[in-house]
Amino acid sequence: MTDPEGTPAPADVSAASARDASGATGPAAAKPDRRPGGRTARIRAQVLAAVRGELAENGHEGLTMEGVATRAGVHRATVYRRWRDVGGLLVDVIDAAGEIDWQPPDTGSLRGDLTALNEEIQESLTVQPSFAVALMAASFHSERAARAQTRLWEDRYAQCEILVDRAAGRGELPPGQTDARRLLLAATAPVYHHLVLLRAAPDPRLPEQAATAAVLASAGGAFTASAEGSP
Amino acid sequence: MTDPEGTPAPADVSAASARDASGATGPAAAKPDRRPGGRTARIRAQVLAAVRGELAENGHEGLTMEGVATRAGVHRATVYRRWRDVGGLLVDVIDAAGEIDWQPPDTGSLRGDLTALNEEIQESLTVQPSFAVALMAASFHSERAARAQTRLWEDRYAQCEILVDRAAGRGELPPGQTDARRLLLAATAPVYHHLVLLRAAPDPRLPEQAATAAVLASAGGAFTASAEGSP
DNA sequence: AGCTTAACGCTACACTCGTCGCACTAGCGC
DNA sequence: GCGCTAGTGCGACGAGTGTAGCGTTAAGCT
C-alpha cells in the first residue's frame, strides 16, 4: 500500500497508445499496440473526456477513479486496468493534449520573453481547471505523475533556453557564457512560489517584476559561468 | 466526500490545545480549553510522537490515521475526534514544534543572510523525513493543512523582512523603499522550485547563487518602489 | 472524599477503494 | 463469413476509512 507502483511491467498499458513519439524504451517497441481498434480508442476518448469534465467540475480534489468511470460510462475495473491510478489518468490526458508543439514566446527582448513566459505560467496555475495544479497534487501520490511533471517542466525549460541564446545574440547579456537554466529558474520560480506555496492571489504585475529582476541579475553577471561560484 | 471539512464548527478540537498564542479568533476565546489535564495532554503527546515516528519510517505517503493510532496506543476514534484527518495531525505537529522562536540568520551581509536562509530551506526540503514536503502534500487534500502552510510561510517571510531592513541600514541597498517581500521571494523561490517541481538533486551551490542573483537584482533597483511597476 | 462531565475505549456499521476471476463482446487476421 | 483472443463488463471479495452509539475512565471542582 505504501508503493502503489512497485510492479514495473504492467504499467505501460496506457503508455502504449499515448506515448509513441518518445518510445525509446525496449518493451514499448516490442509491444507497440496490440489492438488499437475502434472500441479501445473510443473508450480511451470517453475516459479522457470524463477526466477533463470531472476536473472542470470538481477540481483535482474530486478526481476519483470511480467518478471518471461512471461519467465515461465505463466500468471501474477497465479504468483501473488501463490507467492504474489518478496519476496515470492525468499523464494520459496531458500527453493526449499534444503540447509538444508549444513554442516559447518571442517578443524581441529578453525581458519581454520572460514576462510573457511568466504570464503563461501564471495563467496555467490560475485557470480552472488547472492541469498543472492537478498534476502537482497527483505527483505526491503517483510516481508516474511525478515523472510526468518533471518531464513536462524539463522539456519546457530546455525549449526556453533559446530565449537566452537569442538574447545573447542581441547583446542583451554580459560577455561570458550565461547559465540559461539558472536564469530561467530565477525568472519563473517566484510566480510558481507565490501562487502555489504562499497560495496568494495572482498578482498581475508579478510576471513582469520577476522577469525584470532576473534580467537585472543577469546584467550584473549573476548567471555567468565566469562568476565566483564555479570551480 | 468532495469537501472533507465542510462543517465549520467542530474543526477546532485540536486548535484548542495547540494554538493559544495566536488565538485571535472568536470561538477560540469562548472555549479555550475545557479539560487540558493529564490524560488529554498525555494522549496528545503520544499521538504527535506517533505522527513523527510514522513520518520518519514511512514518509508522508504512509501517514495514515490508523497507523498513528496504533503506534500511539490510542483508539482510532480518538484520533478522528480530535484531529479529524491527516492534515489536522500535521498542523498540530507543526504548531507543536514551537517554531515561534525561530530566528532569521544574521551573518553581517544581505547576501550571507539570504544564502544561510536558502540553505535552511534546502535542508528542510531535503532531510528525511521532511515535514515541509509532508505538509505540502497534505495541503492539497486538507484545507486546514493548506492554511497552516500558508500561515507558516507567511510568518517566516514576515520575520525575514528584518534582513532587508538591516541591509538597508548598512547601505547595501539602493536608495528608495525596497519591497522586502519581493526580494525575499526572488531569493528563495528558486531553491523550492528546483527541489519540488523539478525534483532535481539538491545543488549545494544553488542557495548561494540564488541569493547572489537576488542581491544583484536589488542592487539594480528591481525591488524598489520607485521603479516602473508601481502606480 | 464525592459529584459532574469531558474525554476516551470499544463495538458495530456503512461506505469507498482496489483487485480478482469469469463470462462475454468485438477487433483483427484468415 | 469464421475462429482467435485482446479487451471489456460484471459481480464479489478483502482491506481500509470514517462515523455513531454507548459504556467507562478520570480530570476538575466543591
Side-chain angles (χ1 to χ4, degrees):
Chain A
M1 294 38 174
T2 311
D3 189 1
E5 37 234 318
T7 57
D12 58 348
V13 275
S14 70
S17 57
R19 308 194 54 232
D20 41 7
S22 60
T25 53
K31 188 181 63 169
D33 255 350
R34 310 285 290 228
R35 185 172 284 186
R39 185 170 63 168
T40 298
R42 193 175 65 246
I43 282 183
R44 175 163 177 256
Q46 289 174 9
V47 168
L48 296 191
V51 171
R52 284 184 279 261
E54 288 285 305
L55 215 54
E57 286 187 8
N58 311 113
H60 64 273
E61 279 299 297
L63 187 65
T64 170
M65 298 291 271
E66 175 139 23
V68 169
T70 304
R71 176 187 279 255
V74 169
H75 203 267
R76 284 204 336 263
T78 300
V79 183
Y80 278 112
R81 273 192 285 251
R82 287 187 59 177
W83 288 275
R84 193 173 192 90
D85 56 3
V86 180
L89 287 172
L90 285 169
V91 170
D92 204 3
V93 164
I94 288 171
D95 283 350
E99 52 208 351
I100 296 95
D101 52 350
W102 178 83
Q103 290 292 339
D106 187 2
T107 64
S109 72
L110 179 60
R111 192 182 140 200
D113 288 350
L114 295 178
T115 300
L117 180 64
N118 271 348
E119 281 168 352
E120 273 190 54
I121 293 176
Q122 176 146 293
E123 189 185 347
S124 76
L125 293 173
T126 307
V127 73
Q128 298 292 343
S130 171
F131 288 96
V133 174
L135 191 61
M136 280 164 34
S139 71
F140 285 104
H141 303 296
S142 165
E143 188 59 35
R144 272 157 62 210
R147 278 197 296 267
Q149 173 178 275
T150 299
R151 195 180 66 223
L152 182 109
W153 286 88
E154 194 66 32
D155 290 352
R156 289 292 177 92
Y157 278 113
Q159 286 187 76
C160 285
E161 289 186 7
I162 196 175
L163 302 186
V164 182
D165 294 339
R166 288 198 301 240
R170 287 190 296 255
E172 293 186 59
L173 293 176
Q177 194 67 22
T178 64
D179 192 333
R181 202 55 76 91
R182 294 210 186 280
L183 171 54
L184 293 169
L185 189 70
T188 57
V191 176
Y192 174 81
H193 201 68
H194 181 259
L195 290 175
V196 175
L197 194 77
L198 273 59
R199 275 190 163 70
D203 184 347
R205 297 179 308 169
L206 181 58
E208 183 191 357
Q209 289 182 342
T212 303
V215 170
L216 280 171
S218 75
F223 310 113
T224 56
S226 58
E228 72 278 37
S230 61
Chain B
M1 303 12 176
T2 311
D3 189 358
E5 37 234 318
T7 56
D12 57 348
V13 275
S14 71
S17 56
R19 307 197 53 234
D20 41 7
S22 60
T25 53
K31 187 182 65 167
D33 254 350
R34 311 284 292 223
R35 185 175 285 186
R39 184 170 64 166
T40 298
R42 192 176 64 246
I43 283 184
R44 175 163 177 256
Q46 289 174 9
V47 169
L48 296 192
V51 171
R52 284 183 279 262
E54 287 285 305
L55 217 53
E57 285 188 8
N58 310 113
H60 64 273
E61 279 297 298
L63 188 64
T64 169
M65 298 290 272
E66 175 140 20
V68 169
T70 304
R71 176 186 278 254
V74 169
H75 205 267
R76 284 205 336 263
T78 300
V79 183
Y80 278 113
R81 272 193 286 252
R82 286 188 60 176
W83 289 275
R84 193 176 191 89
D85 56 4
V86 181
L89 286 173
L90 283 169
V91 170
D92 204 2
V93 164
I94 286 171
D95 283 349
E99 51 211 348
I100 296 95
D101 51 351
W102 178 82
Q103 290 293 338
D106 187 3
T107 64
S109 72
L110 179 59
R111 191 183 142 199
D113 288 352
L114 295 178
T115 300
L117 181 63
N118 271 349
E119 281 168 354
E120 272 191 54
I121 292 176
Q122 176 146 292
E123 189 184 348
S124 76
L125 292 174
T126 308
V127 71
Q128 298 292 343
S130 171
F131 289 97
V133 172
L135 188 62
M136 279 164 34
S139 71
F140 283 104
H141 303 298
S142 165
E143 188 58 35
R144 271 157 62 210
R147 279 197 295 266
Q149 173 179 275
T150 299
R151 196 178 65 226
L152 180 109
W153 285 89
E154 195 66 33
D155 290 352
R156 288 292 177 92
Y157 278 112
Q159 286 187 76
C160 285
E161 289 186 7
I162 196 174
L163 302 187
V164 182
D165 294 340
R166 288 197 301 240
R170 287 188 296 255
E172 292 186 58
L173 293 175
Q177 193 69 21
T178 64
D179 191 333
R181 202 56 76 91
R182 293 209 187 281
L183 171 55
L184 292 169
L185 189 70
T188 57
V191 177
Y192 174 82
H193 201 67
H194 181 259
L195 290 175
V196 176
L197 195 77
L198 272 60
R199 277 189 160 71
D203 184 348
R205 298 179 307 168
L206 181 57
E208 183 192 357
Q209 290 182 342
T212 302
V215 169
L216 280 172
S218 76
F223 309 114
T224 57
S226 58
E228 72 278 40
S230 61

